[in-house]
């Protein structure tokens, strides 16, 4: 099976006739301003690199539209000149979703479309431009006592609403409320020809984004599409009253089987806002990073944000005293965050979850508490604590299949032990209970290799300065490419679902014939020349 949509480096001379036409640079500069029409080789290389790799062919141009009208006109101009257009949000993905696959590709950076357009506490929805970050949305809603059901990934400091809606995302609020898609009421999407499509109740004359399922769910068509069907310009999301009370629990277990049994029980119960686990390798990694001050700062953040101030101060003091010593010598760890509208509700949920944890030993809940205190930190973890390269992979299964999948994954790596040993590749897993139905299993891979200009730009300078600088290791890089390809095959053979399909996981090729045929027809209807993000989802 094909993976990572490999593309031989192409040159314009070898390109089809339609992209030998010069780009309409004059009109694009007049439209966006020269500073937002980017031709420099360094910038084109940056925009053609994600967390994991640089594309085989760099973007021909990068455009930074400042509003929806500019976005529409720029997309229409580029496609009329035979160029592929590739949406990019915060650029914090690792499955090639925004990487060019052919010469004549224009990356459209959406970060200037960052306005929060309407917060409606009467009808309980918010409308944002697609380039707004989760951090900025959270900060706009919090003073109003409001929240979206799913409220962001751990990359939300810099990743965007449009990126999460396009590749599918889980974290804050996801054990209770599901993925990003489950929070959406409607979208405005720019199609390949520059036309604008509105979905949900806002798609009709009685406009307003108050109801998603008025007729067939056109919104859903564009969610988790890895940007293959259009460029999201605006999104309307559901609002809820932010729960005033939260609590945190951490348990440790001696085996992965015990961890997953507890995770499934808690996930099914609907009592947890977030429920996530890790193996000893990932848990231990927190101890290598000896920055205890960060956790204490986060704990103080809890004190400031919590309603129950006295309890918060006690928590912070306890964290400062016990620090990481409480986390040492543990095996598999399970973290739970709970939300409620009264202390009584929280107390009840805590009692129930403690019972569900079964064989788990309760320890200080440093991790979930500090994550909630400062959920949106710079993406410093895109290099490992010893300066290694980092890239995750994942599969999603129902509760009944998670234990077998975790065993099979152990076996997968066991069979490759010699390769891992030879190249210094290390791995550990995290897992996340999504909604009440499924668990995501995510091995994280670390390998020796040189950091890229992408890492240098994305990691906070103070953190980067502390990390060792490693030499390039082409053999380890090649082993990683093979490993990721094998992993994509492994997940497909196990019948897993995926977020972040991008140009890495086997989507189109694993659909039933009828499903695939309809998907192809839908792609042809919205993008007849296949110029929107070629390669995403497996479309050519
Ligand atoms: C440190 C770190 C932590 C992370 N934590 C999480 C986590 O907790 N949960 C999680 O699910 N993921 C996580 N991720 C993965 C990733 O950051 C998120 O999934 C995030 O939502 C990506 O958003 P982005 O704006 O960076 O998208 P990009 O990387 O810019 O793009 C992702 C895909 O979406 C498409 N796209 C982007 N914007 C648009 C648009 N407006 N219209 C159409 N298509 C578009 C792109 O073409 C691409 O296919 C993490 C990544 C890192 C590096």
């Amino acid at each position: 099976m094909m993976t990572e949509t490999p593309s031989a480096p192409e040159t314009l001379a070898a390109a089809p006739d339609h992209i030998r036409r010069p780009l309409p640079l004059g009109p694009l500069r007049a439209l966006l301003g020269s500073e937002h029409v980017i031709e420099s080789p360094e910038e084109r290389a940056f925009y053609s690199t994600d967390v994991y790799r640089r594309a085989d062919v760099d973007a021909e141009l990068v455009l930074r539209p400042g509003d929806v009208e500019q976005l529409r006109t720029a997309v229409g101009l580029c496609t009329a000149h035979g160029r592929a257009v590739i949406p990019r949000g915060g650029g914090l993905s690792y499955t090639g979703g925004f990487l060019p696959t052919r010469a004549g590709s224009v990356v459209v950076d959406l970060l200037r479309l960052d306005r929060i357009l309407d917060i409606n506490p009467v009808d309980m929805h918010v409308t944002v431009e697609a380039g707004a970050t989760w951090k900025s949305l959270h900060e706009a809603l919090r003073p109003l006592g409001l929240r979206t059901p799913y409220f962001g990934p751990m990359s939300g400091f810099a990743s965007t609403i449009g990126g999460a809606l396009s590749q599918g995302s889980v974290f804050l609020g996801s054990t209770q409320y599901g993925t990003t898609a489950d929070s959406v009421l409607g979208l405005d999407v720019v199609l390949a020809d520059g036309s604008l499509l509105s979905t949900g109740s806002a798609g009709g004359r009685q406009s307003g984004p108050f109801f998603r399922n008025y007729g067939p769910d056109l919104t859903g068509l564009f969610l988790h599409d890895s940007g293959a069907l259009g460029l999201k310009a605006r999104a309307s999301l559901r609002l809820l009253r932010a729960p005033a009370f939260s609590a945190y629990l951490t348990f440790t277990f001696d085996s992965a089987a015990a961890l997953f049994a507890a995770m499934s029980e808690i996930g099914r119960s609907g009592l947890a806002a977030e429920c996530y686990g890790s193996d000893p390798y990932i848990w231990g990694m927190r101890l290598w990073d000896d920055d205890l001050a960060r956790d204490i700062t986060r704990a103080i953040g809890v004190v400031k944000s919590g309603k129950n101030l006295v309890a918060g101060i006690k928590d912070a003091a306890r964290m400062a005293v016990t620090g990481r010593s409480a986390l040492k010598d543990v095996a598999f760890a399970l973290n739970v965050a709970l939300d409620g509208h009264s202390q009584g509700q929280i107390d009840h949920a805590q009692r129930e979850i403690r019972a569900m944890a079964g064989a788990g030993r309760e320890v200080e809940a440093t991790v979930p508490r500090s994550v909630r205190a400062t959920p949106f930190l710079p993406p410093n973890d895109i290099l490992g604590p010893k300066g290694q390269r980092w890239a995750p992979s994942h599969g999603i299964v129902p509760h009944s299949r998670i234990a077998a999948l975790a065993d099979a994954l152990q076996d997968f790596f066991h069979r490759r032990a010699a390769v891992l040993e030879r190249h210094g590749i290390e791995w550990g897993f995290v897992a996340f209970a999504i909604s009440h139905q499924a668990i995501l299993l995510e091995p994280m891979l670390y390998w020796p290799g040189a950091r890229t200009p992408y890492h240098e730009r994305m990691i906070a300078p103070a953190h980067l300065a502390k990390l060792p600088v490693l030499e390039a290791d082409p053999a380890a890089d090649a082993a990683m490419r093979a490993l990721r390809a094998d992993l994509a095959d492994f997940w497909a053979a196990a019948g897993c679902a995926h977020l972040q399909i991008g140009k890495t996981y086997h989507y189109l090729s694993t659909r039933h014939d009828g499903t695939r045929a309809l998907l192809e027809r839908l792609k042809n209807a919205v993008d007849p020349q296949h110029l929107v993000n070629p390669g995403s989802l497996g479309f050519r």
Side-chain angles (χ1 to χ4, degrees):
M1 278 187 190
M2 196 176 75
T3 193
E4 316 267 29
T5 317
S7 57
E10 293 171 79
T11 64
L12 273 186
D17 279 349
H18 62 271
I19 70 161
R20 288 197 200 149
R21 292 173 61 193
L23 269 166
L25 287 173
L28 286 169
R29 288 195 191 109
L31 178 72
L32 307 181
S34 297
E35 70 275 31
H36 300 303
V37 177
I38 299 166
E39 293 177 90
S40 90
E42 295 76 27
E43 287 300 289
R44 291 191 289 113
F46 171 75
Y47 279 96
S48 306
T49 306
D50 69 7
V51 174
Y52 173 56
R53 72 183 180 107
R54 180 170 170 183
D56 296 329
V57 55
D58 282 349
E60 184 184 5
L61 192 70
V62 177
L63 299 178
R64 305 188 73 231
D67 61 38
V68 177
E69 278 314 301
Q70 287 187 2
L71 172 65
R72 293 180 59 178
T73 310
V75 166
L77 270 170
C78 290
T79 54
H81 287 75
R83 295 318 196 269
V85 286
I86 305 180
R88 183 190 191 274
L92 277 161
S93 50
Y94 25 74
T95 53
F98 63 85
L99 300 187
T101 55
R102 53 162 91 154
S105 296
V106 176
V107 168
V108 183
D109 175 354
L110 288 147
L111 284 176
R112 290 179 66 223
L113 269 75
D114 62 355
R115 284 164 282 255
I116 293 164
L117 299 168
D118 180 37
I119 299 175
N120 186 331
V122 175
D123 295 328
M124 296 297 275
H125 53 73
V126 57
T127 300
V128 292
E129 287 184 333
T133 63
W134 288 98
K135 180 173 188 283
S136 66
L137 179 59
H138 185 66
E139 286 172 357
L141 294 176
R142 199 166 58 169
L144 307 175
L146 296 169
R147 209 191 88 184
T148 51
Y150 164 87
F151 64 108
M154 291 199 78
S155 57
F157 176 87
S159 69
T160 63
I161 313 292
L165 295 180
S166 303
Q167 64 169 12
S169 175
V170 292
F171 196 62
L172 294 165
S174 286
T175 304
Q176 197 167 7
Y177 293 107
T179 78
T180 28
D182 298 313
S183 296
V184 186
L185 288 168
L187 299 170
D188 288 339
V189 185
V190 173
L191 301 182
D193 61 0
S195 59
L196 191 71
L197 176 82
S198 298
T199 70
S201 54
R205 276 186 286 277
Q206 57 286 65
S207 65
F210 58 92
F211 197 66
R212 172 160 161 183
N213 297 102
Y214 183 23
D217 183 19
L218 288 182
T219 308
L221 181 61
F222 295 93
L223 297 172
H224 295 215
D225 73 337
S226 293
L229 299 179
L231 292 84
K232 287 159 203 73
R234 287 182 282 250
S236 296
L237 307 175
R238 292 159 55 205
L239 286 177
L240 48 82
R241 297 232 162 93
F245 294 83
S246 295
Y248 310 96
L249 295 167
T250 297
F251 305 94
T252 63
F253 298 85
D254 292 331
S255 69
L259 167 76
F260 287 120
M263 262 190 105
S264 285
E265 197 57 19
I266 294 167
R268 280 188 292 257
S269 75
L271 291 170
E274 291 112 47
C275 174
Y276 49 102
S278 56
D279 75 353
Y281 177 85
I282 297 293
W283 188 253
M285 195 162 269
R286 284 181 50 76
L287 305 174
W288 305 346
D289 173 5
D290 208 20
D291 199 355
L292 181 59
R294 189 180 69 182
D295 280 348
I296 295 170
T297 313
R298 284 178 166 208
I300 290 164
V302 172
V303 174
K304 283 190 189 146
S305 66
K307 269 231 161 161
N308 34 0
L309 194 62
V310 176
I313 289 167
K314 278 189 191 153
D315 282 344
R318 200 164 58 231
M319 279 169 66
V321 172
T322 54
R324 282 163 206 277
S325 60
L327 307 179
K328 284 189 180 139
D329 305 322
V330 296
F332 298 85
L334 178 63
N335 301 298
V336 183
L338 307 153
D339 292 329
H341 290 288
S342 72
Q343 191 60 47
Q345 188 186 358
I346 288 288
D347 290 344
H348 168 76
Q350 274 185 289
R351 274 196 304 276
E352 296 277 315
I353 286 176
R354 284 190 173 109
M356 289 173 205
R361 292 175 297 277
E362 191 168 348
V363 297
E364 193 65 38
T366 313
V367 171
R369 186 177 285 115
S370 62
V371 164
R372 275 296 192 93
T374 47
F376 303 120
L377 293 169
N380 293 339
D381 298 340
I382 58 177
L383 287 176
K386 295 184 273 187
Q388 325 93 299
R389 295 292 311 277
W390 166 81
S393 177
H394 76 268
I396 301 171
V397 286
H399 297 292
S400 57
R401 284 160 45 193
I402 185 63
L405 183 71
D407 282 349
L409 187 71
Q410 287 288 348
D411 186 51
F412 173 96
F413 283 109
H414 185 68
R415 281 184 282 113
R416 290 162 178 80
V419 174
L420 303 187
E421 174 84 25
R422 190 175 322 129
H423 297 290
I425 300 171
E426 297 179 352
W427 77 283
F429 74 74
V430 297
F432 194 97
I434 306 175
S435 192
H436 304 182
Q437 282 76 32
I439 295 196
L440 176 150
L441 180 62
E442 185 168 61
M444 301 211 174
L445 294 121
Y446 295 83
W447 71 103
R451 58 174 72 156
T452 69
Y454 175 94
H455 296 105
E456 282 162 7
R457 197 187 290 196
M458 301 302 282
I459 295 177
H463 183 82
L464 192 67
K466 285 194 290 183
L467 293 178
V469 178
L470 305 189
E471 299 281 310
D473 189 337
D477 289 344
M480 271 299 301
R481 270 196 301 282
L483 205 54
R484 275 175 53 107
D486 286 355
L487 268 171
D489 293 346
F490 167 82
W491 303 122
C496 296
H498 296 283
L499 308 167
Q500 311 168 2
I501 298 165
K503 294 160 190 150
T504 293
Y505 297 113
H506 305 305
Y507 176 68
L508 206 56
S509 59
T510 58
R511 299 306 86 201
H512 289 303
D513 290 349
T515 310
R516 181 180 175 142
L518 178 60
L519 283 162
E520 297 273 13
R521 284 202 296 277
L522 290 168
K523 171 74 173 171
N524 291 338
V526 291
D527 178 20
Q529 295 177 274
H530 286 218
L531 289 175
V532 176
N533 207 357
S536 256
L537 294 187
F539 290 116
R540 68 179 162 74

